[in-house]
Amino acid sequence: MSTKDEATAERDRVVIFDTTLRDGEQSPGASMTLEEKLQIAELLDEMNVDIIEAGFPIASNGDFEAVSEIAKLVKTSVVCGLARANSADIDRAADAIKHAEQNRIHTFIGTSPLHRQYQLQLDEDAVHERVVSSVTRARNYTDNVEWSPMDATRTEADFLCRTVEAAIKCGATTINIPDTVGYTSPAEFEALIKMLIERVPGADVVVFSTHCHNDLGLAVANSLAGVVGGARQIECSINGLGERAGNAALEEVVMAIRTRGDHFPYYTDVDTTMLMRASKLVSAASAFPVQYNKAIVGKNAFAHESGIHQDGVLKNAETYEIMRPEDVGVKSSSLVMGKHSGRHAFREKLSALGFELGDNAFEDAFRRFKDLADRKKHIFDEDIEALVEDEMTQAGEAMRLVALTVIAGTGTAPKAIVTLDINGEHITHESTGDGPVDAMFTAIRSIAPHEATLQLYQVGAVTQDSDAQAEVSVRLGQGDRIVTGRGADTDTMIASAKAYVSAVNKLVGGRVGSMPETKLKAV
């Protein structure tokens, strides 16, 4: 046994439970297509994530299909389906995960006074009965059952112990303790996990888990505190994607455990060199950009501008870097890309940036790269990232931008002429507006009618200089549905049109495997 293996053997393994495809997709505007979900699931499986919560099968036919297809695709990870504490949910989840090599049913019910009184309108005894019946039913389908008391951190200690004990007696193998509204603090959460392990009979034969939300910015800290308290599973998501302020970020908890082994004597099996690739894929699929100063995977995570910092890093990287960039998949490259670059160099650059494309997708990306190189003198890594992510966003869309003409200026009424390809048919419309963007969006709305309101229109430069690509985010809201589209191009108007069309595709279900109009929310 090597020294590294010996060191690992002395540490407890922390199971990583990824909920990007379930809780992450509940973020307003973060709906993903079936193809995107399959890509993410395949990557999570490849990077050795232990459990993939693939979705909420009862929520819709789209969610059921996604969970079922992921169950067939995944080779190593456990595929998990979420279910409320009722027979229909559990039966549907069991049907969706039945093809998985390894499967799990995750069932839950609210236990706090607020949830019992206002959401469930049930007393303690009735909730207890639901726990017994739901875990028992799930156990009939699989021997891998996880149970969660929703809003556990605001539940009375005695009742929480009572429900946890019931779940264990009925066969639950994992007990997840959710901080559903991001209310707790690290010291409180550590004490809560310790209390449950000490007080509940049978606690020694199950795995305790954390599921922390980030409403107060404490999701990662609380998750790690839970592990110190005795939990051995962390529920988390790529980029921290999730309800409201999000979940604990997978990349942060994994790297905290890896980097601070002196304080956290644990380990995970996650291949950390794939973290950046996973972050980019989830960002592209969800249309949620990663903030520049995001820990681990943000653009500035390993950037140094201060002269003092730069001097120190050049002499010894450890002066200002506690992790090596390559440990999370950030690779340096001396390749200068331009219009004379060939396929081999372009493929090497994509690999260095964390993208692995199939042959057809690669050829499309290479063609667009050549087009970009004809329009832009300097091609930066960020340009290639935006190009590939833009192509991923448009993949499978039934409606695509074909042509755009915008006329605007002093003393001239803004006008836009838009041509869209809808399932192979070209449709052109001309509209005027208060400005060029309004005219363009009005023309698109005339071709693809909808009642959504524009909630966000955001423009950013991908790189420096006046010839930089523009990256545009558009968010549309209609009823209880919120969708987000992204587009990139050296022409800001074209990028804007692409982003709006992408959002409309999601809104009207014009994407292959599009997700449902109504989402059930949980945990």
Side-chain angles (χ1 to χ4, degrees):
M1 184 181 288
S2 68
T3 302
K4 181 179 178 181
D5 291 337
E6 290 174 355
T8 299
E10 296 173 358
R11 298 166 178 261
D12 282 351
R13 185 168 78 93
V14 174
V15 173
I16 297 299
F17 178 113
D18 181 89
T19 187
T20 304
L21 298 176
R22 200 277 300 170
D23 199 327
E25 209 210 7
Q26 289 178 195
S27 298
S31 183
M32 305 174 197
T33 67
L34 174 60
E35 182 181 353
E36 288 164 344
K37 285 192 168 191
L38 292 174
Q39 287 179 328
I40 292 170
E42 190 170 29
L43 181 57
L44 293 173
D45 189 34
E46 186 181 348
M47 63 192 287
N48 299 326
V49 166
D50 297 287
I51 299 140
I52 300 171
E53 189 167 48
F56 201 165
I58 197 70
S60 69
N61 291 333
D63 256 25
F64 178 87
E65 181 186 9
V67 176
S68 182
E69 291 302 315
I70 289 169
K72 297 172 186 174
L73 173 72
V74 167
K75 302 291 192 297
T76 305
S77 302
V78 176
V79 177
C80 177
L82 186 68
R84 292 168 299 185
N86 64 65
S87 299
D89 275 41
I90 293 167
D91 294 348
R92 189 70 165 161
D95 194 23
I97 63 172
K98 65 184 180 183
H99 296 294
E101 293 288 335
Q102 301 180 79
N103 59 36
R104 172 183 291 188
I105 294 176
H106 178 193
T107 184
F108 70 96
I109 191 170
T111 55
S112 70
L114 283 167
H115 281 248
R116 295 196 310 263
Q117 180 179 352
Y118 295 106
Q119 187 174 41
L120 299 172
Q121 297 180 335
L122 297 174
D123 61 19
E124 290 186 6
D125 289 340
V127 170
H128 181 268
E129 289 175 8
R130 293 275 187 94
V131 175
V132 171
S133 62
S134 60
V135 174
T136 300
R137 191 174 190 90
R139 197 67 170 76
N140 287 333
Y141 287 110
T142 177
D143 59 3
N144 192 340
V145 174
E146 177 173 334
W147 179 75
S148 292
M150 186 160 62
D151 204 19
T153 55
R154 296 192 296 174
T155 299
E156 309 95 317
D158 288 345
F159 184 60
L160 185 59
C161 287
R162 181 186 174 197
T163 55
V164 169
E165 181 179 357
I168 294 173
K169 284 183 177 179
C170 293
T173 50
T174 299
I175 301 296
N176 180 49
I177 306 301
D179 183 28
T180 304
V181 293
Y183 179 74
T184 196
S185 67
E188 286 178 319
F189 199 57
E190 178 184 347
L192 176 61
I193 299 295
K194 284 182 176 178
M195 181 274 292
L196 290 169
I197 292 174
E198 291 169 359
R199 285 184 53 180
V200 176
D204 59 321
V205 299
V206 298
V207 174
F208 277 82
S209 171
T210 71
H211 181 108
C212 298
H213 280 266
N214 205 39
D215 298 70
L216 295 176
L218 295 172
V220 170
N222 288 335
S223 298
L224 294 170
V227 172
V228 172
R232 288 298 179 266
Q233 175 179 290
I234 295 177
E235 301 200 355
C236 46
S237 63
I238 300 295
N239 297 337
L241 196 65
E243 286 271 16
R244 303 181 312 279
N247 292 290
L250 182 149
E251 62 276 5
E252 294 179 26
V253 296
V254 168
M255 289 309 296
I257 290 171
R258 177 188 170 113
T259 305
R260 291 302 311 275
D262 58 325
H263 186 68
F264 302 115
Y266 320 108
Y267 73 98
T268 75
D269 286 334
V270 172
D271 182 351
T272 63
T273 63
M274 302 178 73
L275 290 174
M276 182 61 76
R277 181 176 160 196
S279 172
K280 290 175 180 176
L281 178 59
V282 170
S283 176
S286 64
F288 273 43
V290 177
Q291 66 191 65
Y292 279 15
N293 63 334
K294 168 76 171 64
I296 314 300
V297 293
K299 180 179 178 181
N300 292 346
F302 296 96
H304 305 275
E305 186 168 331
S306 163
I308 295 175
H309 285 215
Q310 289 176 341
D311 179 67
V313 169
L314 290 171
K315 291 174 178 175
N316 186 327
E318 291 183 2
T319 54
Y320 290 102
E321 289 183 353
I322 60 172
M323 299 166 285
R324 298 185 306 168
E326 55 266 33
D327 288 341
V328 300
V330 176
K331 300 178 183 178
S332 59
S333 174
S334 59
L335 284 173
V336 177
M337 303 302 294
K339 63 182 181 180
H340 299 297
S341 298
R343 284 176 171 79
H344 180 73
F346 184 63
R347 192 180 288 278
E348 287 296 313
K349 172 62 76 173
L350 289 177
S351 179
L353 293 174
F355 294 108
E356 300 293 336
L357 303 182
D359 291 341
N360 291 337
F362 173 79
E363 289 300 326
D364 288 341
F366 185 69
R367 175 183 51 77
R368 298 186 70 203
F369 161 71
K370 286 291 192 177
D371 291 342
L372 178 63
D374 285 336
R375 291 178 284 149
K376 196 172 186 292
K377 183 177 180 180
H378 300 293
I379 306 295
F380 297 91
D381 287 356
E382 292 86 350
D383 288 314
I384 296 174
E385 290 173 354
L387 180 150
V388 175
E389 289 170 0
D390 186 51
E391 184 68 23
M392 289 171 60
T393 298
Q394 295 181 53
E397 289 185 339
M399 179 168 57
R400 298 172 71 103
L401 178 70
V402 174
L404 171 68
T405 300
V406 176
I407 300 171
T410 304
T412 301
K415 180 172 68 174
I417 304 170
V418 176
T419 300
L420 301 181
D421 181 316
I422 302 180
N423 294 319
E425 180 183 358
H426 285 198
I427 302 175
T428 301
H429 194 88
E430 177 181 321
S431 294
T432 58
D434 292 335
V437 174
D438 180 50
M440 178 173 55
F441 289 178
T442 299
I444 295 171
R445 192 164 56 247
S446 298
I447 297 173
H450 60 83
E451 301 299 323
T453 57
L454 180 65
Q455 297 187 349
L456 172 72
Y457 172 67
Q458 184 172 295
V459 182
V462 173
T463 57
Q464 59 203 26
D465 295 332
S466 58
D467 65 348
Q469 286 192 92
E471 190 167 49
V472 177
S473 294
V474 167
R475 182 171 296 172
L476 300 177
Q478 181 172 310
D480 62 354
R481 286 209 70 199
I482 299 175
V483 295
T484 304
R486 287 171 70 183
D489 198 273
T490 52
D491 187 313
T492 304
M493 291 298 101
I494 292 176
S496 301
K498 285 182 177 180
Y500 193 85
V501 168
S502 176
V504 173
N505 266 304
K506 294 180 181 180
L507 189 71
V508 301
R511 306 188 70 180
V512 176
S514 58
M515 292 296 104
E517 294 187 2
T518 302
K519 284 287 181 183
L520 300 177
K521 299 183 178 181
V523 189

